[in-house]
Amino acid sequence: MTDVACPGGDLYHRYFERTGDAFLIIEGDRFVDCNDATVRMLRYSTRDALLQVHPADLSPEFQPDGRPSREKADEMMAVAREHGSHRFEWDHQRADGEVFPVEVLLTAVPREDSVMLHVVWRDLTERRRLESDLRQAQKMEALGRLSSGIAHDFNNLLVAINGHAELLVSDLSDRPEEQSCAEEILRAGNRAADLVGQLLAFSRKQVLRPRTLDLGDIVADMAGMMRRLLGEGVATDVEVVDRPLWVTVDPGQVSQVVLNLAANARDAMGGRGRFRLHAGCADVDAATPGLRDPLPPGTYAALTATDDGQGIDTVDLPRIFEPFFTTKAAGRGTGLGLATAYGIVRQSGGSIGVISTPGAGTCFTIYLPLAAAPEPEVVEELAVPVPSMQPASILLVEDEAATGRLVRVMLERAGFTVHVVPGGEQALAVLAAPGARFDLLLTDIVMPGIDGLELVRRVRESDTGLPVLLTSGYPADFLAQQGGVPADFDLIQKPFSSHDLVRRVREALARG
Ligand SMILES: Nc1ncnc2c1ncn2[C@@H]1O[C@H](COP(=O)(O)OP(=O)(O)OP(=O)(O)O)[C@@H](O)[C@H]1O
Ligand SMILES: [Mg+2]
């Protein structure tokens, strides 16, 4: 370090050399000195090599606001000379060409015949990355809230639309033209119900029915379906190692995640290529590449889907999990596949990693927490229901009057007797009335006052042995927080078709 730059002597010199910020001295328009941190930050081989470079050549041609770096640098230095110091943000360029953001503090030190500029740079790369991760997380959170709000409201509307369309379809068998109109309504309604289901999955407000299962079994069961989905032009390898891989998940949801990944791979490969699905254990730590949301370090069940398709553009990569983000032509993609997968995996306590090379292929890894082996299941023989002369009688608890009416019609058409009450309190009163005889309690979950879960608890306490089937269109947050409805509660998700409803009611009656 030259003596001009070191007026405070040895102590200052040591500080100059040791600090992690880059320190530089500019005199006129040349560097006269810098510390080691500057050499490291700019990735030059030696201090002398760096000092040979003109200050203007350490910046890209333009700054982020579009102004030429040279012109703007002159202006910044002029401000520092005039006011004594100046703090601002700047893009610099390392020796290998990488552009990176720094915070700059220029301090003017007047000398006899000139003004010396003392420069401090602080690398902002890491801070910017954290800010961008935070922004991304907040955006996903906000989109999640928005989509769950929409999904919940639409679900209830869809119960009415699809349910009534279904009743029309069955009533109009002697008027084929009108019947086909009703069928169209039903088809569109069912597609809408699928979309709403995907939105609910993304917003992590779905009622999951987790069970502890071997991930290897789920994957092996899906191999055939996946090969059909990918088509004959794609060589598909499915490999499961480290069995059993116990995970606590909703098996239907995990299958959906795998199918979404396979469908994306198929589209990326244009019908030709190689797809590999691999399930095994993997260690996760801070260095795990491409991990979307951090996980506590440890060993996880890992499901990896690799394709050799077109890859994902670097600009698109941060957005692929957003709902409705798609690069596919209109009608080809909705942009909900990965958003759904993301929601399901996050709600199951896991995370997703993506690595993609444009032009070469993409690799998605689903990490799920490993679970303890489950207790062996006691297989209960299903009692063969004794045909009864009396139609089964159902107590239906539903706070939405229109839904209550519709479900009653669906069930009555299937030959059941139905008594509808608008809430948990009324249900308890009806059940306690002398002579009450019901074969099934069919109740909505989220209702004002005594909700469905509380109602079922109280009914079970009274030990009547009454079978129960829960319905849900508004899966409440508290259910999700508890990891879903308790496994021994039977649940049918709204919107449902009358066919599904009647089947589930019959099953519940048979079990009871
Ligand atoms: N394996 C992959 N290879 C290349 N790009 C992919 C891959 N997987 C996802 N993408 C990109 O991410 C985008 C979002 O994927 P996502 O599955 O969410 O929606 P989509 O496939 O476009 O539509 P949808 O799944 O709703 O039919 C895709 O449009 C595509 O650009
Ligand atoms: Mg997709």
Side-chain angles (χ1 to χ4, degrees):
M1 190 169 175
T2 57
D3 59 345
V4 279
C6 189
D10 190 47
L11 195 64
Y12 179 76
H13 185 199
R14 267 187 282 158
Y15 171 60
F16 181 88
E17 283 305 341
R18 284 181 176 211
T19 174
D21 291 333
F23 274 33
L24 302 101
I25 314 288
I26 298 181
E27 217 171 358
D29 67 347
R30 304 293 307 176
F31 287 126
V32 289
D33 202 2
C34 68
N35 64 355
D36 266 354
T38 316
V39 182
R40 281 196 303 276
M41 196 182 280
L42 289 168
R43 299 193 187 131
Y44 275 79
S45 51
T46 63
R47 187 182 305 213
D48 284 342
L50 172 57
L51 291 176
Q52 301 300 317
V53 180
H54 191 275
D57 292 332
L58 294 178
S59 304
E61 198 180 340
F62 296 100
Q63 288 301 303
D65 62 2
R67 293 186 58 195
S69 294
R70 262 177 200 261
E71 176 193 306
K72 198 172 173 187
D74 288 344
E75 189 184 306
M76 298 292 110
M77 289 193 286
V79 174
R81 288 191 188 102
E82 190 184 334
H83 296 281
S85 73
H86 186 35
R87 191 188 292 274
F88 56 95
E89 289 188 4
W90 192 260
D91 268 8
H92 271 299
Q93 192 161 21
R94 307 192 211 265
D96 53 17
E98 187 193 340
V99 174
F100 68 109
V102 291
E103 184 188 75
V104 181
L105 173 63
L106 293 180
T107 308
V109 183
R111 292 173 50 79
E112 276 163 23
D113 50 354
S114 65
V115 175
M116 198 171 71
L117 280 180
H118 189 157
V119 188
V120 182
W121 292 344
R122 181 160 292 172
D123 193 335
L124 296 180
T125 310
E126 181 61 11
R127 193 193 301 174
R128 287 278 167 79
R129 194 185 59 72
L130 289 174
E131 282 167 1
S132 133
D133 284 358
L134 182 66
R135 259 199 310 279
Q136 189 66 23
Q138 283 169 339
K139 188 156 97 181
M140 293 296 261
E141 222 26 69
L143 282 169
R145 270 198 304 278
L146 180 71
S147 32
S148 98
I150 296 172
H152 289 168
D153 289 352
F154 271 79
N155 252 353
N156 256 20
L157 296 173
L158 284 168
V159 173
I161 295 173
N162 294 1
H164 287 292
E166 218 182 323
L167 294 181
L168 279 178
V169 170
S170 79
D171 285 352
L172 289 171
S173 50
D174 52 344
R175 290 154 70 182
E177 241 170 70
E178 279 100 332
Q179 191 186 39
S180 79
C181 291
E183 279 166 358
E184 282 305 320
I185 298 176
L186 191 56
R187 251 193 293 282
N190 284 337
R191 171 86 188 113
D194 284 348
L195 288 178
V196 171
Q198 287 177 304
L199 278 181
L200 273 178
F202 167 70
S203 56
R204 292 175 249 160
K205 295 290 164 52
Q206 233 177 2
V207 179
L208 291 189
R209 318 230 56 219
R211 286 189 282 144
T212 300
L213 297 158
D214 180 1
L215 185 62
D217 281 345
I218 307 181
V219 171
D221 285 351
M222 294 191 65
M225 200 199 301
M226 231 162 37
R227 287 204 170 88
R228 276 194 297 283
L229 176 79
L230 285 156
E232 294 199 338
V234 175
T236 305
D237 300 324
V238 178
E239 195 189 358
V240 181
V241 295
D242 304 327
R243 294 188 81 165
L245 273 174
W246 297 117
V247 288
T248 303
V249 293
D250 182 323
Q253 303 291 343
V254 172
S255 311
Q256 199 185 334
V257 170
V258 175
L259 288 181
N260 288 347
L261 294 181
N264 284 344
R266 175 201 58 198
D267 295 347
M269 294 185 292
R272 304 237 136 251
R274 176 168 288 276
F275 178 73
R276 184 165 172 266
L277 189 68
H278 179 275
C281 284
D283 289 333
V284 172
D285 57 27
T288 302
L291 199 61
R292 177 54 54 132
D293 295 278
L295 287 173
T299 306
Y300 289 79
L303 185 64
T304 306
T306 313
D307 66 64
D308 59 1
Q310 64 191 21
I312 304 171
D313 251 19
T314 336
V315 283
D316 293 338
L317 197 59
R319 303 195 55 201
I320 55 172
F321 294 103
E322 285 175 19
F324 303 115
F325 176 81
T326 180
T327 55
K328 293 171 193 172
R332 277 305 189 73
T334 326
L336 281 174
L338 287 177
T340 312
Y342 176 84
I344 293 170
V345 172
R346 293 299 288 155
Q347 200 177 342
S348 309
S351 184
I352 304 191
V354 199
I355 302 168
S356 188
T357 315
T362 306
C363 172
F364 282 90
T365 305
I366 310 290
Y367 297 96
L368 292 168
L370 286 167
E375 299 283 322
E377 244 176 72
V378 185
V379 183
E380 272 177 50
E381 291 274 319
L382 266 192
V384 180
V386 182
S388 81
M389 301 319 285
Q390 286 251 19
S393 112
I394 298 170
L395 178 59
L396 169 65
V397 193
E398 171 61 68
D399 60 325
E400 282 264 328
T403 312
R405 272 196 302 278
L406 177 70
V407 174
R408 195 182 69 208
V409 175
M410 287 175 166
L411 291 170
E412 283 177 350
R413 287 184 173 209
F416 299 107
T417 332
V418 184
H419 186 89
V420 192
V421 291
E425 285 83 357
Q426 294 88 338
L428 288 171
V430 168
L431 286 168
R437 192 197 68 82
F438 291 100
D439 300 300
L440 178 76
L441 172 64
L442 175 63
T443 176
D444 197 8
I445 295 182
V446 181
M447 300 180 291
I450 296 180
D451 66 37
L453 292 178
E454 178 60 23
L455 173 63
V456 174
R457 265 179 225 118
R458 296 212 196 169
V459 167
R460 288 193 170 179
E461 269 166 23
S462 67
D463 204 25
T464 53
L466 181 65
V468 173
L469 180 59
L470 293 161
T471 71
S472 163
Y474 289 94
D477 291 10
F478 65 82
L479 292 176
Q481 279 158 15
Q482 290 169 6
V485 176
D488 58 333
F489 285 28
D490 233 353
L491 173 106
I492 176 165
Q493 181 92 48
K494 286 180 190 168
F496 39 72
S497 67
S498 69
H499 177 83
D500 287 343
L501 176 69
V502 169
R503 183 175 55 82
R504 295 295 301 276
V505 162
R506 290 214 172 101
E507 281 171 10
L509 283 167
R511 256 195 298 276

